Amino acid sequence: MTLTIKYFGLIAEMTGRKEEIISLDSDDYDLEALKERCFSKYNLSNSHSIQIAVNQSLGTSGPLKHGDEVAFLPPFAGG
Amino acid sequence: MPKKIFIQGPIPPEKISDSVAKHQSKTTIGAHSMFVGQVRADEVDGKTVAAIEYTAYKEMAGKELDKIREEAFSKYDLVCAHIYHSLGEVRAGELCFFVFTSSAHRKAAREACRFLVDEIKEKVPIFGKEIFEDETHQWKVNQ
């Protein structure tokens, strides 16, 4: 399956990119595995207070499906 | 279709008086309340913030704003509510955020305005890069 990963603010600065497309051989992949993969690839940690949105919704977990959009978000700073 | 809330660059102060003027024909309104956010020249370790560069996860921001606006209308007796936020660079002293609520009476207008401001700061994915006068930067985190 293919996933679109988006990075914002400080996270985009750390990853050096705003977006990437990841193609996986397996269709059996969950958010936790993706988080681990991205955290280790880009040296991210829980100390960065990252929230992850799947298809623009926070607080999801578990299996991902083909075409999902996953966003790694640093703390919000509107206003 | 979500309402257009993002404005490229600073919000011109005239936008505020124009918004008030536009509502003078709506004569069920008896009270407006507004919040206007301005970029502060914060000092951090001897360096001064010259500007904030705002970015947003627009697709998610639109959805969150729709939900927040809907909740405001269900909680408070509002005639209307308008929200504007800057994207891109806004220099210290310029305006970056404008929330404008209107109601028959002051209480609903005031409380809805406060609700919208607090919810937007907490739930809408907007990010701010604080750029110092020496062109270094840090990432803003809401208090």
Side-chain angles (χ1 to χ4, degrees):
Chain A
M1 68 174 158
T2 305
L3 302 169
T4 302
I5 320 293
K6 294 190 168 203
Y7 305 100
F8 291 89
L10 170 69
I11 315 299
E13 195 171 274
M14 293 183 71
T15 60
R17 63 191 67 204
K18 289 180 175 170
E19 188 174 319
E20 67 183 320
I21 304 219
I22 297 185
S23 294
L24 300 156
D25 295 335
S26 161
D27 276 345
D28 183 18
Y29 204 69
D30 66 17
L31 184 60
E32 291 66 35
L34 179 70
K35 179 181 169 186
E36 209 175 293
R37 175 187 167 128
C38 293
F39 269 41
S40 100
K41 184 173 173 189
Y42 297 115
N43 235 349
L44 304 172
S45 80
N46 286 325
S47 69
H48 298 113
S49 304
I50 297 169
Q51 297 191 86
I52 303 178
V54 178
N55 300 323
Q56 294 107 39
S57 287
L58 291 174
T60 61
S61 62
L64 293 166
K65 58 182 192 311
H66 177 74
D68 277 349
E69 178 177 293
V70 183
F72 286 68
L73 309 171
F76 300 168
Chain B
M1 190 65 191
K3 290 191 69 162
K4 185 184 176 292
I5 77 132
F6 290 115
I7 289 177
Q8 198 60 38
I11 297 168
E14 298 75 37
K15 176 107 188 148
I16 293 158
S17 56
D18 287 352
S19 296
V20 174
K22 273 186 200 156
H23 289 75
Q24 291 185 294
S25 57
K26 296 189 178 183
T27 49
T28 57
I29 293 172
H32 300 300
S33 187
M34 59 177 73
F35 176 87
V36 181
Q38 172 170 308
V39 171
R40 234 181 5 255
D42 271 350
E43 209 169 292
V44 184
D45 300 329
K47 296 191 289 188
T48 307
V49 171
I52 297 181
E53 188 184 297
Y54 289 102
T55 51
Y57 182 11
K58 282 190 191 166
E59 297 85 351
M60 180 175 162
K63 286 185 184 179
E64 289 300 317
L65 281 159
D66 283 349
K67 274 193 255 172
I68 294 168
R69 180 197 299 273
E70 233 168 77
E71 203 183 333
F73 274 94
S74 72
K75 280 171 96 116
Y76 306 100
D77 194 11
L78 287 176
V79 177
C80 48
H82 299 272
I83 298 160
Y84 302 98
H85 199 291
S86 294
L87 287 182
E89 190 175 292
V90 183
R91 302 194 59 79
E94 293 181 326
L95 309 178
C96 55
F97 188 29
F98 176 34
V99 176
F100 181 53
T101 53
S102 308
S103 178
H105 302 283
R106 68 188 184 283
K107 195 167 177 229
R110 270 189 199 149
E111 287 177 3
C113 184
R114 189 194 170 109
F115 170 82
L116 286 169
V117 170
D118 291 352
E119 288 287 297
I120 290 163
K121 280 187 171 256
E122 188 188 330
K123 295 182 178 164
V124 179
I126 297 170
F127 314 100
K129 183 171 159 180
E130 293 178 319
I131 301 164
F132 295 109
E133 282 164 344
D134 65 0
E135 291 180 8
T136 57
H137 70 268
Q138 70 172 18
W139 290 89
K140 178 175 178 269
V141 176
N142 277 347
Q143 306 277 316

